[in-house]
Amino acid sequence: MKYIDEFRDGDLARGLAATIAREVDPARRYRLMEFCGGHTHAISRYGLNDLLPAAIELIHGPGCPVCVLPIGRIDSAIELANRPGLILCSYGDTLRVPASGRLSLIKARAQGADVRMVYSCAEALTIAQQEPEREVVFFAIGFETTTPPTAVVIKQAAALGLKNFSVFSNHVLTPAAMAHIMESAASVSLDGFIGPAHVSTIIGSRPYEAFAERYRRPVVIAGFEPLDVMQSILLLVRQINRGQARVENEFTRAVTPDGNVKAQACVDEVFELRDRFAWRGLGEVAHSALAIRDAYAAYDAERRFDIPMRVVADARACECGAILRGEKHPAQCKAFGTGCTPEHPIGACMVSSEGACAAHYTYGRFRQPAAAPATESKS
Amino acid sequence: MSRREFTQAIDFRHGRVDMTHGGGGRAMAHLIEALFVKHFDNALLREQNDGAAFALPPGTGRMVMATDSHVVSPLFFPGGDIGCLSVHGTVNDVAMAGGQPLYLAAAFIIEEGFPLADLERIVVSMARAAREAGVPIVTGDTKVVEQGKGDGVFITTTGIGVAAPGIELSGDRARPGDAILLSGSLGDHGVAIMSARENLALDSDLVSDTAALHRLTAAMLECAPGLRCLRDPTRGGLASVLNEFADQSECGMHLREEAIPVKPQVAAACEILGLDPLYVANEGKLVAICPPEDAERLLACMRAHPQGRDAAIIGEVTADPNHFVQMSTRFGGVRMVDWLTGEQLPRIC
Amino acid sequence: MCLAIPARVTALCGDNQARIELGGVQKEVSIALLDQVAVGDYVIVHVGFAIGKLDEAEALRTLALINEMGAPDTAMDLSA
């Protein structure tokens, strides 16, 4: 598979690992946050920690749209799905996310709701065309990568004059969340960021420049293949050693400074910024999500249906906030692996396989006997 | 039982199953005779009793019994259908317990309105699979449920087999140092099924691996009677079987990713859908655990068999109080291969 | 994250649709988010949409850089 296999070469990885090991200053720690779940996944799936020197600490950020989806929004989706005659379509990722009262979309389906898993938002539109007598709602999640397809589909629905299709938008924005993390006090311990891959394909590398400058932290945009991650770590180490805070682009094969302008224009036509949006685990983040514009109000499920917007507090037992900000390691949460497991997630980080806790539980927990969690004092 | 007179032939081209086909009356008897008995034809079934009575072969050690219900969507998929699948699935369950299957029973739950042409296609496929496996379907049952109360057709098959004296296979017999063998490439069935689902619309030349494995297991048991564990990685895939073995045997497992065969189409489809081939279903593969000294011999024996041509030694059993299954990745790291959480769904993130 | 894969465009199907191929698997996707897609192009596919094109020259450059940076004789670069 071109553009995949060559970026999974173990021999090249060992070369990079040796260079990283040579160049790190053993007297210090490099605390690097990979914002995206895609990087978390690559790190876990390929066991990258084994290739990195102890001085490098990778912190899994909040870049998993499933994890950060607030419980109240899923409650609303379930409430919608339970309405007689309504079909709720969503990506497979959202179906198992736990909502209030031990419910989830998949359990709502078992209780009679018409919930359908789609691979593409375009399928939801097709279902609406095939079943004109029924209301079809697409429960939309995702970052900048996933938003343009939703925008295309809303525009298509408008062009077709569909009367029974709408979108429940939960699209969120990456730079706002990165800034939110840096605004929290504990973030001072983060030394650099591995920047998003496919999000950046859409938005380009430019939006990170203000971030790097303002917070004095290097950002290296990296592809999701393991060699991309290794190389971006090396680039970050070099910047940190030199005291630099620049935006570098490792994923030049798919990311330009300006990004996909056509996709941006499409999103801009259909969506507008929300003043604030609640992120599971992080709380309210200003200007961090998108709502559907007035011009497309007819396709906005939030306006079309009287959806009760509930605010559900995050579980008190869990340390998701601190974990998402890089203040704590999953194993330092009391609920980790006991009350909170991938089967029965309590907090955001355990919800999807890309969450920090789920990734550690599923792929990495053999590394840490429960008695010896990683701590800041280890270095 | 005397032959009944049926005045009108069943229209297998255009007809549909209706409630009378399960009602116990003449229509049901007609369907059984014109479809099931005709295609499954064998001496025991021809007796048309409610059960089949048979003698055991001489020198039988222990008996093995297994049952499996088959629900699959779509019913027809590249490389097979629910019919042959229902034969292979149960033949394999008997074989994994070390048994050589002798007879099968088949129970059909059919939804009212199901096209008779499709039912006939399924029965013909079952009959062929049973014939090729040399395991006759000797008794059965047919029920019809009202429209909307089934999904076309469900088939439950039960198999009876015999294990030679001395054969003892069980998931709790793995020991540290033992070798883990896999009979061929992973994920063919699961990906073929998913590709055939209309909403995913993936096209490839990949076909399901559905196959009966009892001849392969017979050869393996003859070559390595000390074989400890056998299991077919169906739902939940290789990862689930190894976690079951690790739990039952109270040990760990360590795999080498580069040794695990995966076809390029399966790898590609998994990339597209966000799935892991280690968790995707197979219907014609087995996992074996044997003492290390038997491993090479067993591997050669498997490779000499058509169902084991791509067999490989994929790892070894380890001592691990946590019973973790781990894997050295192709990339040079180590990761866990944990139990599957829920079912594997295509994902976008 | 956003699960997306690079795939080769094998045919344009009109109506902003194209067929893509990866490892022997084909699928139809939307190219509504891209300008000027041609057969033979590699695109990044996400939820059934091509969201970006791949630049082969840049990919080769990145791989060359990875090779170079991972070479055993890479000079210690701690000076600056």
Side-chain angles (χ1 to χ4, degrees), chain C residues 4 10 12 30 36 46 51 57 80:
Chain C
T10 56
L12 301 175
S30 166
Q36 293 170 339
H46 175 62
I51 57 159

Side-chain angles (χ1 to χ4, degrees), chain A residues 220-223 228 231-232 235 248-253, chain C residues 62 66:
Chain A
V220 176
I221 295 159
D228 292 319
Q231 195 191 18
S232 67
L235 293 171
E248 273 184 285
N249 182 4
E250 185 276 340
F251 197 36
T252 50
R253 64 187 184 276
Chain C
T62 301
I66 289 172

Side-chain angles (χ1 to χ4, degrees), chain B residues 69-100:
Chain B
S69 290
H70 298 269
V71 295
V72 60
S73 172
L75 294 170
F76 302 93
F77 47 83
D81 54 62
I82 189 171
C84 60
L85 191 67
S86 70
V87 169
H88 297 151
T90 296
V91 163
N92 291 347
D93 283 350
V94 171
M96 295 309 136
Q100 278 307 300

Side-chain angles (χ1 to χ4, degrees), chain A residues 54-332:
Chain A
I56 306 272
E57 187 182 348
L58 295 173
I59 292 131
H60 311 317
C64 159
V66 180
C67 300
V68 298
L69 189 62
I71 294 176
R73 306 287 288 187
I74 305 168
D75 287 349
S76 299
I78 292 172
E79 203 273 335
L80 264 181
N82 280 329
R83 296 193 185 189
L86 191 141
I87 301 170
L88 187 94
C89 300
S90 193
Y91 296 127
D93 313 55
T94 65
L95 298 188
R96 290 193 315 108
V97 180
S100 302
R102 299 181 157 221
L103 270 176
S104 64
L105 283 169
I106 218 163
K107 286 183 184 158
R109 182 162 78 183
Q111 292 172 6
D114 195 345
V115 176
R116 304 200 190 168
M117 184 187 75
V118 293
Y119 170 76
S120 166
C121 50
E123 277 168 53
L125 189 76
T126 308
I127 293 171
Q129 286 175 284
Q130 286 165 348
E131 308 219 26
E133 306 303 315
R134 302 185 59 185
E135 284 287 343
V136 176
V137 176
F138 176 61
F139 182 48
I141 58 150
F143 285 95
E144 289 89 337
T145 325
T146 319
T147 314
T150 308
V152 169
V153 162
I154 290 174
K155 285 174 66 176
Q156 282 173 343
L160 291 164
L162 286 189
K163 299 277 181 260
N164 63 329
F165 177 78
S166 57
V167 170
F168 183 16
S169 169
N170 295 278
H171 286 301
V172 286
L173 301 171
T174 305
M178 284 175 66
H180 180 85
I181 286 167
M182 286 311 294
E183 294 291 347
S184 75
S187 64
V188 288
S189 66
L190 293 175
D191 299 307
F193 283 80
I194 299 174
H198 300 132
V199 161
S200 307
T201 297
I202 300 291
I203 69 173
S205 60
R206 230 184 281 291
Y208 305 99
E209 278 165 14
F211 173 89
E213 195 171 333
R214 170 152 189 204
Y215 298 107
R216 302 290 310 143
R217 295 292 190 284
V219 177
V220 176
I221 295 159
F224 280 146
E225 297 303 335
L227 275 183
D228 292 319
V229 179
M230 296 284 290
Q231 195 191 18
S232 67
I233 289 170
L234 177 53
L235 293 171
L236 282 170
V237 166
R238 287 184 176 173
Q239 281 205 46
I240 292 164
N241 285 345
R242 293 170 182 150
Q244 292 175 324
R246 291 185 296 121
V247 175
E248 273 184 285
N249 182 4
E250 185 276 340
F251 197 36
T252 50
R253 64 187 184 276
V255 174
T256 60
D258 294 323
N260 181 339
V261 179
K262 188 174 183 184
Q264 291 165 22
C266 190
V267 169
D268 192 48
E269 187 188 331
V270 176
F271 289 99
E272 63 187 7
L273 262 188
R274 290 181 198 264
D275 286 341
R276 55 179 50 78
F277 194 74
W279 291 51
R280 191 171 182 174
L282 290 181
E284 294 234 315
V285 181
H287 306 299
S288 66
L290 297 173
I292 295 168
R293 284 190 188 277
D294 287 344
Y296 292 93
Y299 303 95
D300 185 353
E302 287 183 70
R303 299 195 228 190
R304 192 177 182 118
F305 303 96
D306 184 24
I307 309 176
M309 287 300 164
R310 301 175 49 202
V311 177
V312 182
D314 290 337
R316 279 166 56 202
C318 83
E319 302 265 18
C320 283
I323 292 167
L324 289 176
R325 289 188 298 269
E327 295 161 31
K328 288 198 171 169
H329 185 274
Q332 288 172 302

Side-chain angles (χ1 to χ4, degrees), chain B residues 7-8 62 65 99 102 130 219 234 236-237 251-252 258 308 319 321 336:
Chain B
T7 49
Q8 222 174 352
R62 296 191 298 172
M65 187 171 169
L102 297 174
T234 54
C251 55
E258 60 193 353
M336 269 184 70

